[in-house]
Amino acid sequence: MHDLVQEPVLTSDPMRHFTWRRDQRHRPGLQFLTSTGRHHGAESLEESRVLLALDFAGDVVDVVSQPLKISFATCGKHRAHTPDYLAVTRRGVWLIDVRPEPLIKESDRESFAAAAEVAVACGWRYAVAARWREHAFAGLDAMASRRRLRSDPLGLRPVLLAEAAGGRRFGELAAATGCEPVARAQLLHLLWSRQLGVDLAGPLQDRSLVLPVGEAGR
């Protein structure tokens, strides 16, 4: 544990490589993060979702896939476990495992417990991404579709920011610009980049209340 804290894990390669086969049941791939400016490996669609959530969560400095391998003993057996991600943020470091809740077995719980102990010893935080609220990823995916929107040729962003003062419904706000289809894309970009805020406890839809970031915080 001492060496793990002293050595920068961010400089290490993944503990195992991402492989592709025609008959495999999971879907590995690469997920681009705007916060790091590069692609990160994922072994499944669930892991890709976690990467996207990390990118949206803000304050992410870097993410390492398959960052370390843990060897431990339990019930007289020697086991090994490789957590899925190490996420370095401006508010701390997170060690993360990804496993859909219906697939978690008792052996997985033992592995998660070992990973949690490692995180505590290193001064990190630990989480298992096991379940999404039904609507959560749909809204996140919609905003992510416009996260790299660079230009604003019609000058709609200042208009949207001004019109959102005091709170406006998403659909009303887009219609108020007179160029609704383009305004919707710009709105999604402003929400992703945290220039506007919305309550994601419910589905993202036309009646969702959109507020300037300061007002959303209150």
Side-chain angles (χ1 to χ4, degrees), residues 35 51-58 60 140 143 191-194 200:
S35 53
L51 286 173
L52 197 61
L54 285 172
D55 202 21
F56 175 71
V60 172
L140 188 60
M143 290 185 288
L191 289 171
W192 175 272
S193 59
R194 300 302 181 84
L200 294 178

Side-chain angles (χ1 to χ4, degrees), residues 77-111:
K77 297 180 180 179
H78 289 279
R79 297 269 309 283
H81 173 62
T82 302
D84 294 304
Y85 295 109
L86 185 73
V88 179
T89 77
R90 294 179 182 87
R91 300 185 181 184
V93 180
W94 284 83
L95 190 63
I96 302 171
D97 272 305
V98 183
R99 173 74 70 172
E101 190 174 40
L103 301 182
I104 295 177
K105 303 174 182 177
E106 190 60 33
S107 59
D108 294 320
R109 297 180 187 278
E110 294 172 353
S111 297

Side-chain angles (χ1 to χ4, degrees), residues 3-79:
D3 292 339
L4 193 58
V5 174
Q6 297 299 321
E7 294 296 325
V9 180
L10 292 176
T11 63
S12 64
D13 293 328
M15 295 303 299
R16 59 175 181 253
H17 296 289
F18 300 96
T19 58
W20 290 262
R21 301 189 313 272
R22 286 188 302 172
D23 59 342
Q24 65 188 22
R25 296 184 178 181
H26 62 287
R27 182 179 172 183
L30 296 172
Q31 180 71 51
F32 180 81
L33 302 190
T34 55
S35 53
T36 65
R38 69 179 195 274
H39 289 84
H40 298 262
E43 289 188 310
S44 64
L45 291 176
E46 289 296 322
E47 290 189 11
S48 293
R49 289 181 173 187
V50 170
L51 286 173
L52 197 61
L54 285 172
D55 202 21
F56 175 71
D59 290 334
V60 172
V61 176
D62 212 340
V63 178
V64 180
S65 304
Q66 316 287 350
L68 53 96
K69 185 176 182 179
I70 302 167
S71 296
F72 62 98
T74 176
C75 299
K77 297 180 180 179
H78 289 279
R79 297 269 309 283

Side-chain angles (χ1 to χ4, degrees), residues 115-196:
E117 290 295 329
V118 170
V120 170
C122 294
W124 302 338
R125 302 179 72 178
Y126 178 72
V128 178
R131 179 175 57 185
W132 294 88
R133 293 185 179 183
E134 290 185 6
H135 66 273
F137 191 71
L140 188 60
D141 192 45
M143 290 185 288
S145 68
R146 302 299 177 184
R147 57 184 165 162
R148 288 190 277 180
L149 191 62
R150 304 290 186 185
S151 61
D152 181 21
L154 300 180
L156 295 180
R157 291 179 194 172
V159 177
L160 290 168
L161 290 169
E163 289 288 336
R168 296 285 296 275
R169 303 295 176 183
F170 186 97
E172 297 173 351
L173 194 53
T177 63
C179 191
E180 186 173 345
V182 180
R184 287 177 175 273
Q186 295 292 350
L187 264 175
L188 290 172
H189 176 77
L190 292 172
L191 289 171
W192 175 272
S193 59
R194 300 302 181 84
Q195 297 178 65
L196 290 174

